[in-house]
Structure formats: C-alpha cells, structure tokens
C-alpha cells in the first residue's frame, strides 16, 4: 500500500537516483570537469610518442587534380580509422568530389568508435566543423582548407606547439630507424631497435636505414660473428646516444610473442651468419630472444629507457604479462609499457604494483583505441601505483591526428580526475598535480635531460618556411 510517507520516500529515492545517474553520464558537463580541463589544456605537454615524418615526405601527400598535397582523404587514410573500417581509396590525380561521393558513407558504422571519434576534435576545433553532421559543401570546403594549410610546414608547427600545446614530442622514425636524425625543433629522438633482433643475416634488411650491416660498413666495423655483432650494437648505442636519443622503442609485438627466453650465447652463435631459409622457427626465435636480452642490458648501460609496444598487435603473444620474467631479471633497466597493454590494462597495473622502481606505463594510443578503456585504466592505475609513473603520447603522423589524440587524452584524464573529486576520493589541488604529472612532469622526471630543451617559457618556435613542393 502506498502511504503518504512511502510516497515521499519513493519520490526522494527517485530524485536521488536521477541525480546520481546524471552525474555519471555527464561528467563533462560538471563544473569540476570544466575547471580541470581548462587547467590541463594550459599545461605544455611532453608527448612521448609520435611518427611525424619529415615534412617533404609526409605519408599523407597525394597527387590531386590541383597538384600534390594533403586532403581530407589523406587525414583519414593516415589515421587509425582504415585499420578497422573500410575507407574508399584516393585515386592518383583524382578530385575531391570523386572521392567524397563514395567515401561519405564509409563512416556510418563507426560513429561510436574511438578510432573515428579521436579525429573529430581536430575538425571541430581547428576548422569549426562537426564531422558527424558534415554536409557535402562543408566537406569540400574542409578539404580545400586542409590542402591550403599543408602548402607550408608552418601549419604543423602551429597545430602541434600552439593548438595541441605540445612543448616536446618524442618521434619514432620507423621509416629510417638507424638514421638517427631529427627534423623538427620540438622533436625528441627515439632509437627504434625493432629490427636489430634479426641481425643474424644481412638478408633480413630490405631498408638500408634499418640495417646494422649498412651501419657496420659505414663505421668500418667487421661483422662476421656474433661477437662482432654485439660490438656493432654497442657502437650503435653510442651513436644513438650521441645523436640525442633519449630512449629505445620496439614494436616486436606486431611480429612475434613478447616472451623472450633466456637463450645461451652458444645457441645464438650457431644461428649467426645463416639466412632465414636455413633456420628453423625455433632457431630464429632463439637468436631474437638472445639479442632482445642484450638490448635490455644495453638499455641499462646507456641509460636509455625501453619503450615496448604491449597489447593489441599480434594478439597471441602481446599480453604484457609475458614480459614479467624479463622485467624481473633486469632491475637496472627502465621499462615503459606502451599503450597500457590494451586491453590488458589491469595487468599492466599489477606489473607496476610489483616493479614500480623500474617500470612506467605509457597511455599512448590508448584513448584512441578505446576511450572507455582508457578511462578505466587511468581510474585503476591511479589507485594501484604512484602517480609519477604514467605518461602519454599521441601516436600520429599528421597535425590533425596529433591534435585529436592530444585533446582526447586531456579530456580523458580530466574526466577521470573530476569523477574522483566529485565522489570524494581526491582533492582538486591534488588532482591538478596528477594531471600535470601525466601530461608533462613524469616525462621530465624520467628524462631529466629534456629540461634543457624546454622552450615555451622563453620563445615561440619560428618554423623555416618549407613548401609542399620543395622535394620535387
Ligand atoms: Zn606508434
């Protein structure tokens, strides 16, 4: 029976429930979030991972009916979208209208997907266009503006350093790993060692800029035995360090398991000098495992922390838990687990719990893979580890992607912190400190040499004018 007292109680309960659900649904509408987000936006970020090619050879440049340039198609083609969703290819020399008439329906099944949504802030904030509701006329205009912006590399400087507010950006030059060269003044060199584990034979390297054999011959070093190879690796580390590299990076998780066994030097030596077709898969893996363990030791010797791709690559074998033995056996090496181990974000959390002295988590790419998983990761990580062990990166190869991924990360971190504040689990001043740690301070603490390269407090970066057709 519904008495007056029960009715009052029921009304109150419903009111309380609606309040609670409104709070969880719309964190981004809360004053707490808005204050935090504004503060985090103002922090000049240290972005620990991107793939920004030299301007003249940006992979997005295509031939159009107006000449060579960047298009709306380029921005989608060179994003994470086509890895998961159909995208109409650009025809060499083609026109925008020709592409768009087919491409505009490619987005229908991706409206909720993070690999689509992470680019939307760039269209909204840099061009004032809501891509979810874009019209044909707006799309044409957007394409023209993109083409015009990329006539000069000033656009990249503007978007990266001013709009995305990135002060320093680590760059992984996977297109020429051993060239050890930078192209932008805000760029920090990363030494990508992925291919080095395959150094048992010169035929493993089709790109000369990935080949330790080319490097050895340039350096007049003999390379005829495993011992020679280990000496070449040592020289490479010296060169990388001298060129300004601050860390190592490997993406082996795309090719093989992350389980690196402790293989004897004797066994590895038997493999050296033989082409792959003469090796069993186990022999090739033995050699790779042996070299990976040497790279981990060199990482400690040269104080170059090791960024390791974990999670979502080749799925069987990319679980970060497979690295635990390697981590445990090398307490002097600083390991950085990339992508938070997606989807195994709880697993990377527990690894940190046990090995916080020499392991860091990098949320690079995570909000782009799944915004919700990233939120869960930040929520959980901050509960199980010290807040000075989390970093972030954009992981993109054009200005709009970098902007979108950066905005996504700032938003995600602000949302997590705001939720912790509003449910009474964190003070706002402490939250602000944590946000600044993730976006900036933790990278500066792990890479103190970067403090000398900070420039935002004193100057504006004036890019040398460099036009799209300069390489032609
Ligand atoms: Zn990457």
């Amino acid at each position: 029976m519904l008495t007056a007292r029960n009715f009052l109680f029921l009304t109150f309960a419903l009111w309380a429930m609606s309040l609670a659900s409104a709070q969880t649904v719309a964190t981004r509408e809360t004053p707490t979030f808005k204050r935090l987000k504004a503060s985090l936006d103002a922090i000049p970020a240290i972005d620990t991972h991107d793939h920004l090619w030299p301007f003249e050879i940006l992979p997005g440049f295509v031939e159009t009916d107006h000449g060579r340039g960047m298009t709306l198609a380029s921005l989608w083609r060179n994003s994470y979208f086509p890895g998961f969703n159909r995208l109409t290819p650009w025809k060499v020399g083609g026109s925008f209208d020709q592409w768009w008439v087919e491409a505009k329906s490619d987005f229908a099944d991706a409206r909720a997907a993070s690999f689509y949504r992470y680019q939307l802030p760039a269209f909204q904030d840099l061009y004032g266009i809501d891509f979810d509701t874009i019209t044909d006329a707006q799309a044409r205009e957007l394409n023209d503006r993109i083409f015009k912006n990329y006539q000069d590399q000033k656009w990249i400087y503007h978007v990266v350093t001013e709009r995305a507010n990135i002060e320093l950006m680590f760059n992984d030059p996977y297109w020429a790993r051993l060239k050890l060269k930078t192209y932008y003044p805000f760029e920090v060199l990363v030494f990508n060692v992925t291919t080095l584990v395959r150094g048992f034979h010169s035929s493993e390297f089709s790109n000369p800029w990935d080949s330790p054999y080319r490097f050895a011959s340039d350096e007049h070093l003999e390379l005829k035995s495993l011992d020679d190879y280990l000496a070449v690796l040592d020289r490479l580390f010296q060169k990388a360090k001298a060129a300004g590299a601050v860390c190592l990076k490997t993406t082996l998780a795309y090719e093989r398991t992350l389980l690196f066994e402790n293989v004897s030097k004797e066994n590895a030596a038997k493999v050296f000098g033989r082409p792959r077709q003469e090796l069993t898969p186990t022999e090739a893996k033995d050699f790779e495992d042996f070299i990976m363990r040497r790279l981990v030791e060199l990482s400690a010797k040269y104080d170059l922390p090791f960024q390791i791709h974990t999670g979502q690559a080749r799925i069987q074998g990319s679980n970060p838990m497979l690295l635990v033995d390697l981590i445990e056996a090398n307490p002097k090496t600083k390991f950085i687990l990339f992508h938070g181990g997606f989807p195994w974000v709880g697993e990377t959390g527990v690894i940190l719990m046990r090995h916080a002295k020499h392991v860091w988590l990098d949320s690079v790419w995570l909000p782009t893979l799944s915004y919700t998983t990233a939120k869960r990761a930040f929520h959980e990580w901050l509960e199980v580890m010290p807040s000075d062990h989390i970093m972030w990166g954009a992981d993109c190869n054009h200005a709009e992607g970098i902007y979108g991924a950066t905005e996504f990360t700032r938003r995600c971190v602000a949302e997590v912190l705001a939720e912790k504040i509003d449910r009474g689990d964190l003070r706002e001043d402490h939250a602000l400190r944590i946000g600044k740690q993730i976006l900036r301070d933790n990278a500066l603490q792990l890479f103190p040499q970067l403090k000398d390269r900070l420039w935002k407090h004193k100057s504006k970066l004036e890019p040398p004018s460099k036009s799209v057709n300069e390489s032609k």
Side-chain angles (χ1 to χ4, degrees):
M1 195 172 66
L2 194 67
T3 63
R5 215 180 116 190
N6 279 352
F7 178 75
L8 261 179
F9 177 75
L10 192 73
T11 313
F12 174 76
L14 283 172
W15 172 77
M17 271 165 64
S18 71
L19 196 72
S21 74
Q23 254 179 11
T24 50
V25 169
T27 304
R28 296 209 292 268
E29 298 306 314
T30 62
T32 315
F33 170 83
K34 288 177 181 168
R35 279 196 307 276
L36 266 174
K37 178 65 167 45
S39 300
L40 297 195
D41 284 349
I43 293 166
I46 311 290
D47 168 357
T48 57
H49 183 69
D50 270 301
H51 303 284
L52 192 57
W53 297 51
F55 179 71
E56 301 83 347
I57 57 164
L58 282 178
F61 284 134
V62 290
E63 290 301 334
T64 77
D65 55 348
H66 289 86
R68 183 169 178 265
M70 192 74 80
T71 65
L72 180 58
S74 311
L75 297 190
W76 282 114
R77 171 63 55 197
N78 291 278
S79 76
Y80 292 106
F81 180 81
F84 305 94
N85 198 98
R86 181 199 139 71
L87 180 68
T88 302
W90 178 263
K91 289 199 182 72
V92 179
S95 73
F96 174 74
D97 287 345
Q98 213 179 358
W99 176 75
W100 180 247
V101 71
E102 279 187 58
K104 63 181 168 184
S105 56
D106 291 344
F107 304 95
D109 292 338
R111 297 299 185 187
S114 298
F115 59 74
Y116 161 78
R117 299 204 71 79
Y118 84 97
Q119 294 222 109
L120 270 47
F123 299 127
Q124 186 69 62
D125 298 352
L126 306 176
Y127 297 91
I129 282 173
D130 176 358
F131 199 87
D132 272 341
T133 60
I134 197 166
T135 64
D136 293 346
Q138 284 176 324
R140 196 174 300 117
E141 189 215 322
L142 175 61
N143 183 70
D144 289 345
R145 288 173 64 194
I146 292 165
F147 192 88
K148 197 159 167 265
N149 286 337
Y150 278 89
Q151 291 301 299
D152 195 294
Q153 69 168 352
K154 281 193 164 82
W155 175 247
I156 292 183
Y157 281 60
H158 170 66
V159 174
V160 171
T161 67
E162 291 169 41
R163 304 301 300 270
N165 194 13
I166 290 169
E167 181 153 14
L168 293 174
M169 188 191 82
F170 288 40
N171 210 12
D172 168 9
Y174 66 85
W175 55 91
R177 293 179 175 88
L178 308 184
K179 206 168 192 174
L180 306 173
K181 201 169 152 19
T182 55
Y183 305 89
Y184 301 92
F186 48 82
E187 177 184 355
V188 176
L189 182 65
V190 170
F191 177 22
N192 184 318
V193 297
T194 307
T195 57
L196 297 178
V197 297
R198 303 198 305 260
F200 49 82
H201 197 266
S202 61
S203 60
E204 289 293 303
F205 306 95
S206 50
N207 176 351
W209 286 114
D210 279 352
S211 173
Y213 287 81
R214 185 213 43 89
F215 174 80
S217 102
D218 285 359
E219 295 285 309
H220 311 291
L221 292 171
E222 194 155 58
L223 185 36
K224 292 193 174 125
S225 67
L226 180 56
D227 278 322
D228 289 345
Y229 188 51
L230 295 177
V232 167
L233 290 182
D234 205 271
R235 178 73 66 85
L236 250 173
F237 271 70
Q238 290 169 23
K239 285 271 168 175
K241 188 99 185 171
V246 302
C247 64
L248 311 180
K249 165 85 195 295
T250 183
T251 52
L252 276 176
Y254 282 108
E255 299 163 28
R256 49 154 289 161
T257 172
L258 288 178
L259 187 63
F260 299 98
E261 312 274 4
N262 202 352
V263 174
S264 70
K265 189 173 175 187
E266 203 189 338
N267 277 353
K270 283 184 208 153
V271 176
F272 188 87
R274 295 157 62 197
R276 191 176 284 269
Q277 59 269 29
E278 287 176 21
L279 300 175
T280 66
T282 311
E283 284 176 317
K285 180 176 182 294
D286 277 356
F287 189 87
E288 292 177 7
D289 290 5
F290 176 82
I291 296 298
M292 180 64 179
R293 293 215 168 213
R294 297 292 82 72
L295 294 175
V296 164
E297 289 165 12
L298 288 166
S299 161
K301 179 179 172 188
Y302 288 98
D303 195 20
L304 292 166
F306 209 149
Q307 298 179 328
I308 301 180
H309 180 116
T310 64
Q312 166 27 43
R314 187 177 162 274
I315 297 167
Q316 59 281 51
S318 64
N319 189 317
M321 295 302 272
L322 295 168
L323 288 171
V324 173
D325 287 341
L326 183 72
I327 289 170
E328 209 160 69
N330 291 278
K332 287 185 182 144
T333 300
K334 294 169 182 160
F335 293 89
I336 306 170
L337 307 183
F338 256 34
H339 318 308
F342 176 89
W344 297 287
V345 296
E347 280 81 343
T348 49
V350 79
I351 294 173
L352 245 287
M353 261 176 134
R354 293 302 303 271
H355 297 285
K357 278 207 178 83
H358 66 123
V359 182
W360 283 256
L361 295 188
D362 201 316
S363 66
V364 50
W365 197 29
L366 185 53
T368 303
L369 283 164
S370 164
Y371 187 84
T372 304
T373 309
K375 268 192 75 176
R376 178 163 72 81
F378 287 126
H379 259 301
E380 292 181 10
W381 291 346
L382 289 169
E383 291 165 9
V384 300
M385 70 178 82
S387 57
D388 63 350
H389 275 60
I390 308 173
M391 291 173 287
W392 82 283
D395 210 351
C396 293
N397 68 19
H398 52 64
E400 285 77 1
I402 293 172
Y403 180 87
T406 306
E407 165 62 19
F408 240 41
T409 302
R410 290 186 195 269
R411 188 185 290 178
C412 193
V413 171
E415 210 171 318
V416 167
L417 295 173
E419 284 170 12
K420 285 195 187 297
I421 294 167
D422 282 345
R423 70 190 193 199
D425 292 337
L426 189 66
R427 284 172 52 97
E428 189 159 333
D429 53 337
H430 295 164
L432 274 172
R433 178 172 179 273
I434 291 173
K436 185 159 177 273
Q437 283 183 306
I438 295 172
L439 291 170
R440 175 181 174 89
D441 292 346
N442 291 346
L444 293 177
Q445 186 174 293
L446 181 56
F447 304 102
Q449 67 271 48
L450 294 183
K451 287 176 186 159
D452 295 338
R453 292 201 42 198
L454 296 174
W455 56 273
K456 283 223 167 195
H457 57 293
K458 49 186 181 201
S459 58
K460 189 175 157 176
L461 281 188
E462 275 306 334
S465 182
K466 198 178 253 186
S467 96
V468 56
N469 290 315
E470 228 152 82
S471 64
K472 303 205 83 189

